[in-house]
Amino acid sequence: MNINQNYLKLEDSYLFSTIAKKVAEFTKEHTEKQIIKLGIGDVTLPLAPVVVEAIKEAADEMGKRETFRGYGPEQGYAFLRESIKNYYSKKSVELESDEIFISDGAKSDLGNILDIFGLDNTVLVPDPVYPVYVDTNIMAGRKIIFADANESNEFLPLPDENVKCDIIYICSPNNPTGSVYTKEKLAKWVDYALKNDAIILFDAAYECFIKSHELPSSIYQIEGAKDCAIEFCSFSKTAGFTGTRCGYTVVPKSLIKQGASLNKFWVRRQTTKFNGVPYIVQKAANAVFSDVGQLQIKENIQYYSNNAKIIAETMDKKGIWYTGGKHSPYIWLKCPNNMSSWEFFDYLLNNIAVVGTPGSGFGRNGEGYFRLTSFNNTEKTIEAMKRFSDLI
């Protein structure tokens, strides 16, 4: 018996455990201070009423013999796939229902999709980056190279023709930086992938925060993308499903590599290794696409967007460089006075009891930067920014 030695190559994830430890120690020593957390990537508003009602109705169905459902289709129920198809149609993206696969979240599929690719592929990820992209490929033993995301390119790296890779991770709006690719810049990645016979894994988990039709909310709004890209999306931020768990992945039928259909590969993988998302959850997700559902979730998204605006306006007033905020729940700021990411974390915690996320936790290029999120409530966001303004 041999273990997977690649797991020994993983770095211990100290970021959030260290944050939790520092906050716990501070709370113990300063019981009189109210800590405001702007570091969480989790939503705080409850599920939309129409979603809750759909859950109740689906639960009732499961309690009756005539409407009870057992194993469902691994790819997802037809009613939800059709709703997602119609949602894309409103973006001027035409899909077939069997190109859409329902999952328990984008994070799962971003890791699971690697099953259909060979281990000898070279993977390109931006730095800084969502850690899942890196760790899942280390676990598999693939070679990883990094695209240099930095202040000069507004943390939106473009392809380098001198660099060759096979799998490319792109997240837009980006986590952690909040930066969003324009159609012109995203088209450069599509052109690169087509030229180099590469695959783009496009993480669109935050597409609901894009306010402008000029910015792409799906990579399939770029010509040629169906021949080189797989798209992942989630209900977590769109509809507050972080604890309910539902997402979807789009694998176009035109995605053919070495004469094989990646759509068929993914069908085979899912039918072998995945039992599907619960019926109750899929009914809840389907309610999101109703007219009432769209209105209710947009109210929640606007709530978080308003919080992001409050944070961004504070950065503007203080003259602090940042990206994100306008089309993202994340504000990625440059630490003042040349402080390191962890120095700034300690500075905010110890002086104003505000918690964010040190940028160094997202990669080498994150050092000297800091992530704030808009997922707390408005009252606490306003108070946090008042404290911030008084301090900086």
Side-chain angles (χ1 to χ4, degrees):
M1 193 284 297
N2 291 309
I3 61 169
N4 183 348
Q5 296 284 336
N6 292 312
Y7 275 72
L8 300 176
K9 301 174 184 177
L10 292 167
E11 293 184 13
D12 290 331
S13 182
Y14 291 121
L15 179 62
F16 292 104
S17 60
T18 303
I19 290 174
K21 182 180 179 181
K22 284 177 175 284
V23 171
E25 290 174 352
F26 180 85
T27 302
K28 187 176 180 179
E29 295 174 6
H30 303 277
T31 55
E32 77 286 357
K33 292 189 178 181
Q34 181 195 35
I35 293 178
I36 300 177
K37 297 180 180 180
L38 299 183
I40 57 171
D42 196 359
V43 295
T44 53
L45 292 175
L47 295 170
V50 69
V51 171
V52 175
E53 190 59 35
I55 292 173
K56 292 177 180 178
E57 291 177 0
D60 286 340
E61 289 181 51
M62 295 296 282
K64 299 175 183 176
R65 183 183 294 273
E66 59 271 25
T67 52
F68 172 79
R69 287 171 172 80
Y71 289 124
E74 295 91 342
Q75 303 95 322
Y77 283 100
F79 61 79
L80 180 53
R81 299 169 89 186
E82 191 67 21
S83 292
I84 294 171
K85 173 186 172 182
N86 293 336
Y87 178 68
Y88 270 89
S89 185
K90 293 175 182 177
K91 300 182 182 188
S92 299
V93 174
E94 299 304 323
L95 300 173
E96 296 181 37
S97 294
D98 54 1
E99 294 178 312
I100 300 164
F101 299 81
I102 311 303
S103 73
D104 61 357
K107 180 180 180 179
S108 299
D109 275 5
L110 281 161
N112 293 334
I113 198 72
L114 297 173
D115 281 4
I116 68 174
F117 299 115
L119 297 180
D120 55 349
N121 287 301
T122 297
V123 178
L124 177 71
V125 296
D127 180 358
V129 69
Y130 180 44
V132 169
Y133 306 161
V134 175
D135 289 352
T136 51
N137 281 288
I138 290 176
M139 291 172 181
R142 291 186 183 84
K143 178 183 177 181
I144 302 171
I145 57 178
F146 294 92
D148 191 17
N150 54 56
E151 192 173 334
S152 65
N153 59 29
E154 295 186 318
F155 288 91
L156 292 170
L158 294 175
D160 182 345
E161 294 298 333
N162 296 316
V163 173
K164 301 302 178 185
C165 62
D166 306 298
I167 299 172
I168 304 160
Y169 283 85
I170 297 176
C171 180
S172 181
N174 185 268
N175 177 18
T177 70
S179 297
V180 185
Y181 276 102
T182 62
K183 289 181 179 178
E184 292 74 21
K185 289 182 177 180
L186 194 54
K188 291 182 183 297
W189 280 111
V190 171
D191 290 343
Y192 172 92
L194 292 171
K195 180 180 178 180
N196 291 277
D197 196 30
I199 289 288
I200 295 173
L201 303 182
F202 188 76
D203 186 350
Y206 301 94
E207 57 88 20
C208 60
F209 285 92
I210 293 178
K211 306 295 190 301
S212 172
H213 293 298
E214 298 301 313
L215 294 172
S217 58
S218 167
I219 197 169
Y220 301 125
Q221 291 169 323
I222 308 300
E223 185 176 355
K226 286 185 179 180
D227 296 329
C228 66
I230 296 173
E231 183 161 296
F232 306 82
C233 202
S234 167
F235 291 92
S236 289
K237 306 306 189 294
T238 301
F241 274 46
T242 51
T244 310
R245 308 310 306 146
C246 194
Y248 52 90
T249 294
V250 180
V251 186
K253 292 180 180 177
S254 58
L255 205 48
I256 306 295
K257 294 296 176 184
Q258 296 178 313
S261 165
L262 296 191
N263 179 283
K264 290 183 178 179
F265 271 32
W266 189 237
V267 170
R268 188 67 173 87
R269 190 273 173 199
Q270 292 297 80
T271 53
T272 302
K273 288 189 172 184
F274 186 56
N275 265 341
V277 176
Y279 171 74
I280 294 173
V281 172
Q282 292 195 53
K283 286 288 283 188
N286 195 56
V288 169
F289 295 106
S290 67
D291 291 341
V292 175
Q294 286 292 292
L295 288 173
Q296 290 179 354
I297 66 165
K298 284 177 181 177
E299 288 179 4
N300 288 359
I301 293 165
Q302 189 58 49
Y303 181 90
Y304 296 131
S305 294
N306 290 340
N307 288 347
K309 183 179 180 182
I310 291 167
I311 299 172
E313 287 176 346
T314 302
M315 300 304 121
D316 289 333
K317 290 176 182 177
K318 305 306 291 188
I320 296 174
W321 187 94
Y322 69 94
T323 61
K326 188 174 182 180
H327 301 288
S328 166
Y330 299 122
I331 291 82
W332 179 256
L333 62 105
K334 189 173 185 178
C335 298
N337 302 320
N338 293 316
M339 279 188 270
S340 72
S341 298
W342 278 109
E343 284 174 341
F344 191 56
F345 175 90
D346 291 334
Y347 184 66
L348 293 184
L349 177 61
N350 294 324
N351 287 282
I352 60 174
V354 170
V355 178
T357 307
S360 57
F362 297 99
R364 179 177 57 84
N365 280 10
E367 179 55 78
Y369 295 88
F370 204 75
R371 191 189 76 174
L372 295 174
T373 84
S374 64
F375 289 124
N376 211 316
N377 66 49
T378 298
E379 292 73 24
K380 289 184 178 179
T381 301
I382 291 172
E383 173 60 24
M385 289 303 98
K386 180 181 182 301
R387 296 181 191 178
F388 189 97
S389 294
D390 292 341
L391 177 68
I392 304 298

